[in-house]
Amino acid sequence: DGGITQSPKYLFRKEGQNVTLSCEQNLNHDAMYWYRQDPGQGLRLIYYSQIVNDFQKGDIAEGYSVSREKKESFPLTVTSAQKNPTAFYLCASSWRGGAETQYFGPGTRLLVL
Amino acid sequence: DQQVKQNSPSLSVQEGRISILNCDYTNSMFDYFLWYKKYPAEGPTFLISISSIKDKNEDGRFTVFLNKSAKHLSLHIVPSQPGDSAVYFCAAHREGTYKYIFGTGTRLKVLA
């Protein structure tokens, strides 16, 4: 049963703490993406990766970092430099990147204590 | 600068009637468009797509229309069902990039 999984569903971060959100896909997709959704807003691109060991900044990359060591995995770290991390985080993937459908995971809600 | 706009934050439709969700864009370099449906605290679910070389695409109850000259696309749902109640996002792909620009969404409520 192919799909995208994200964990955890809810995550709490303390001040000054780095936290990592997990994203795994078994769709054999090359491209993976991280988006952030805030209330009343559309999805904004944080980072994307077209291939293993390569990734590019999106529109709001400041305070975030990623890695792509395996095709199936694209974890996102929210660092202490991200001053407003409370949001709903969505991971997506697509075959090659570009003008094609992106498929989304169920999301992780990050809250700051 | 909001390049993709969904100007109606919400829409209510009676069950069985047509729902029409609209999306306007400003960039003529957009070449592919997607519509997603999203329930609260869940990831978006892909509904239907359309390439800029077409003006219509249909899949079951869902039809997307593209008017390139007006830079406008619309999603028609016929007939509307209570399970269609969700937030709908349009997304536009910028040619030559890996980026999609998302609209702010329209909340559809289908009344039984």
Side-chain angles (χ1 to χ4, degrees):
Chain A
D1 196 17
I4 303 174
T5 57
Q6 292 186 241
S7 63
K9 190 169 178 65
Y10 296 95
L11 186 57
F12 298 92
R13 193 191 92 163
K14 296 180 181 178
E15 292 288 340
Q17 186 182 42
N18 293 354
V19 292
T20 298
L21 285 62
S22 168
C23 177
E24 304 276 335
Q25 55 97 2
N26 61 4
L27 300 168
N28 200 32
H29 286 172
D30 284 333
M32 297 186 74
Y33 313 81
W34 274 104
Y35 291 90
R36 168 179 172 143
Q37 186 190 17
D38 293 283
Q41 295 194 32
L43 281 63
R44 293 183 292 167
L45 183 65
I46 304 172
Y47 267 98
Y48 65 93
S49 169
Q50 192 192 357
I51 199 168
V52 174
N53 292 323
D54 184 64
F55 47 83
Q56 304 295 329
K57 292 182 179 180
D59 298 319
I60 55 166
E62 186 175 351
Y64 300 98
S65 66
V66 293
S67 63
R68 186 88 187 273
E69 297 176 0
K70 298 187 301 181
K71 186 175 184 176
E72 303 79 18
S73 179
F74 191 40
L76 173 74
T77 296
V78 184
T79 75
S80 57
Q82 172 49 244
K83 297 307 179 189
N84 185 23
T86 297
F88 191 54
Y89 290 87
L90 288 158
C91 178
S93 70
S94 66
W95 278 111
R96 296 288 182 265
E100 57 189 16
T101 301
Q102 293 184 5
Y103 297 92
F104 284 85
T108 293
R109 182 162 297 281
L110 177 60
L111 298 165
V112 178
L113 296 175
Chain B
D1 178 28
Q2 188 68 26
Q3 297 184 59
V4 178
K5 298 180 182 179
Q6 294 178 257
N7 291 317
S8 299
S10 63
L11 174 68
S12 291
V13 171
Q14 207 67 36
E15 180 179 7
R17 307 293 288 267
I18 183 172
S19 295
I20 300 176
L21 298 107
N22 294 306
C23 182
D24 295 295
Y25 61 95
T26 57
N27 193 330
S28 59
M29 296 298 290
F30 289 148
D31 62 351
Y32 200 72
F33 302 88
L34 306 172
W35 279 97
Y36 288 91
K37 170 183 178 180
K38 186 181 181 302
Y39 295 116
E42 293 185 13
T45 301
F46 168 70
L47 285 175
I48 194 167
S49 62
I50 189 165
S51 166
S52 60
I53 63 173
K54 296 187 175 182
D55 56 17
K56 177 182 175 182
N57 189 26
E58 197 169 352
D59 185 0
R61 295 188 298 117
F62 302 94
T63 302
V64 56
F65 295 91
L66 176 62
N67 182 333
K68 284 185 66 177
S69 61
K71 294 189 177 67
H72 176 84
L73 66 157
S74 60
L75 174 68
H76 293 210
I77 306 173
V78 183
S80 300
Q81 300 172 353
D84 295 330
S85 297
V87 177
Y88 289 78
F89 290 95
C90 64
H93 174 261
R94 188 181 300 157
E95 186 178 356
T97 75
Y98 296 95
K99 288 184 64 172
Y100 274 93
I101 307 297
F102 283 78
T104 53
T106 296
R107 183 177 302 278
L108 173 66
K109 187 172 184 180
V110 180
L111 306 170

